[in-house]
Amino acid sequence: MNKYLLSSLSHLGKKSLIKDLRDFYIPYRSTLNIAGNNTFGCEIEFKMQGYEKFVQSKDEESNYALNYLENKGYNYSWYVTCEENNHLEIVSDVLTDCEDTWNKLDDILSFLISNGAYYSGVCGAHVHVGKQILQGKKDNWEKFLMFWSVFEDVIIKFTNGEEYAERPNFNALSKRCANEVRSLVGNLDDKLNAIDVNLYNKMSSLNLNTTRVKFLFSHDDSNSYNVQNTVEFRSPNGTLNKVIWQNNINFFCKMMQALCDDDFDLDLLYYLFYEDENKDYVKKIGAAFLLSDLIFTNEFDKFCFLRQYYKDFNDPKTNDTLIKSSKFWR
């Protein structure tokens, strides 16, 4: 654990750091220093100019999305499929943290943008992380679930990405699930226990992809294309911004990785999870600062997290969920 704790800064120290962050812009990196045996994947949802008319012109059932993108010159291995309401989706291969991964993500997003793809305002940017990170251990799963229950609101604000608020259909397809997660923490001893339907039906911010506790602790080859090997994070707003994608992936992978470290502050997590009155403690020291200290081992990752969390440091009072922050990446 990094001994320099942002959450230990004085009130004035935190205000000074936030001021300094205004001059910090998140870069796109060639590596994130995620452990090599950890895997992840992404589901890129979007709309594209001309696609709806293209679909209407087809008489036979086929993968319209793939046909349409191939007509535009798409020649990548990542799987293409049709989504609801004339959305398209690209599902990545099983990925690891290497330069080739980030080059390919950059290439595909650039291809989409140059061909008229855009965020519709209602789609997500789902990230899958291989559950082998948690090593099939009950203690690690317990820490992960406790952490999510405590920090879900902070995570969601971070994964709103360029927008200040969640997309308007958030509560229909990725609603908060801290209560369901909290209940599951106390039911990990009996592996035959059923998991709450909200945690596997693709309707909550966290999707465990399994119906029984026993399946949490098992996985096959981590490089196999099997969604049941993963935890799906459904909170992020849709985006074609490569920096937001990378920063989200970095957070989710580093979060799961940190929870398995021997020096993770388990006593603090128990303190936050089991005592409701400790919410005042979190509020006082700054939840985002505390989260970054628990998860990241270097200041640069902390700054990338906080910059996306605070965006351009505005908090517009509006019901328009599509209002975007000014640029905080480079």
Side-chain angles (χ1 to χ4, degrees):
M1 185 72 67
N2 190 336
K3 294 184 182 298
Y4 179 57
L5 301 178
L6 301 182
S7 56
S8 68
L9 292 171
S10 66
H11 177 69
L12 288 178
K14 291 188 179 76
K15 287 185 67 174
S16 177
L17 174 58
I18 289 175
K19 182 179 179 180
D20 290 343
L21 282 173
R22 294 175 184 272
D23 295 322
F24 174 79
Y25 292 84
I26 306 170
Y28 192 70
R29 295 180 266 176
S30 60
T31 182
L32 300 175
N33 295 315
I34 295 171
N37 61 334
N38 294 339
T39 56
F40 54 88
C42 50
E43 298 176 0
I44 306 169
E45 297 178 6
F46 55 95
K47 276 199 167 185
M48 204 166 204
Q49 296 174 3
Y51 176 64
E52 186 171 355
K53 185 176 181 180
F54 176 82
V55 171
Q56 293 172 348
S57 70
K58 297 297 180 181
D59 295 327
E60 60 185 46
E61 187 174 336
S62 65
N63 188 338
Y64 300 143
L66 178 59
N67 296 158
Y68 186 72
L69 288 187
E70 286 180 336
N71 288 344
K72 297 285 187 179
Y74 183 84
N75 62 354
Y76 301 95
S77 63
W78 292 9
Y79 178 71
V80 179
T81 187
C82 307
E83 266 292 343
E84 294 182 2
N85 299 319
N86 290 314
H87 284 76
L88 303 87
E89 181 178 72
I90 294 178
V91 181
S92 77
D93 298 334
V94 178
L95 306 174
T96 58
D97 176 29
C98 62
E99 188 171 357
D100 181 65
T101 286
W102 305 119
N103 286 341
K104 187 167 292 184
L105 178 62
D106 184 9
D107 287 347
I108 290 175
L109 292 174
S110 296
F111 166 84
L112 293 176
I113 292 169
S114 66
N115 283 281
Y118 61 96
Y119 168 53
S120 67
V122 296
C123 53
H126 305 153
V127 175
H128 288 257
V129 177
K131 66 180 184 179
Q132 74 275 3
I133 293 181
L134 298 178
Q135 305 165 10
K137 295 180 179 179
K138 177 198 163 189
D139 288 349
N140 289 341
W141 274 100
E142 186 175 71
K143 286 186 283 185
F144 168 59
L145 296 170
M146 291 169 66
F147 189 89
W148 189 269
S149 177
V150 170
F151 289 105
E152 183 179 47
D153 283 341
V154 181
I155 295 168
I156 288 171
K157 181 175 179 179
F158 165 77
T159 59
N160 285 341
E162 298 175 54
E163 291 78 34
Y164 300 104
E166 299 91 76
R167 54 201 181 275
N169 61 344
F170 183 89
N171 288 329
L173 297 172
S174 48
K175 63 184 179 182
R176 286 166 170 77
C177 59
N179 290 335
E180 291 88 346
V181 169
R182 177 174 286 270
S183 296
L184 182 57
V185 170
N187 288 284
L188 293 178
D189 286 322
D190 185 350
K191 293 186 177 182
L192 296 179
N193 275 339
I195 291 175
D196 190 300
V197 65
N198 287 310
L199 297 177
Y200 65 78
N201 67 352
K202 290 181 175 285
M203 303 299 283
S204 298
S205 61
L206 190 64
N207 180 28
L208 300 180
N209 288 308
T210 189
T211 60
R212 297 280 175 180
V213 168
K214 65 179 180 179
F215 297 123
L216 291 176
F217 305 135
S218 62
H219 58 269
D220 53 32
D221 180 4
S222 64
N223 289 316
S224 68
Y225 199 82
N226 182 354
V227 71
Q228 291 185 342
N229 287 336
T230 72
V231 173
E232 180 185 13
F233 298 96
R234 297 179 57 81
S235 64
N237 284 344
T239 185
L240 297 175
N241 185 321
K242 64 182 182 181
V243 174
I244 302 296
W245 266 109
Q246 188 182 64
N247 210 30
N248 286 345
I249 290 169
N250 187 54
F251 170 74
F252 289 128
C253 288
K254 296 281 178 68
M255 175 183 69
M256 295 180 73
Q257 194 170 303
L259 292 165
C260 301
D261 289 345
D262 292 337
D263 59 355
F264 181 82
D265 195 341
L266 185 57
D267 289 339
L268 177 57
L269 182 59
Y270 281 163
Y271 175 77
L272 298 174
F273 181 79
Y274 285 109
E275 302 294 337
D276 286 342
E277 61 268 25
N278 294 333
K279 293 178 181 177
D280 292 335
Y281 167 77
V282 173
K283 184 177 180 181
K284 179 179 179 181
I285 65 174
F289 287 91
L290 180 58
L291 182 153
S292 69
D293 284 337
L294 286 170
I295 292 307
F296 298 115
T297 59
N298 65 79
E299 290 179 24
F300 192 82
D301 275 339
K302 293 181 183 185
F303 293 166
C304 289
F305 171 81
L306 290 170
R307 188 61 158 110
Q308 185 172 318
Y309 176 84
Y310 285 109
K311 308 183 197 316
D312 59 4
F313 306 94
N314 291 317
D315 188 16
K317 304 302 180 184
T318 175
N319 293 324
D320 187 348
T321 59
L322 298 183
I323 292 182
K324 293 181 180 293
S325 162
S326 59
K327 189 173 180 179
F328 53 82
W329 60 90
R330 57 180 170 85

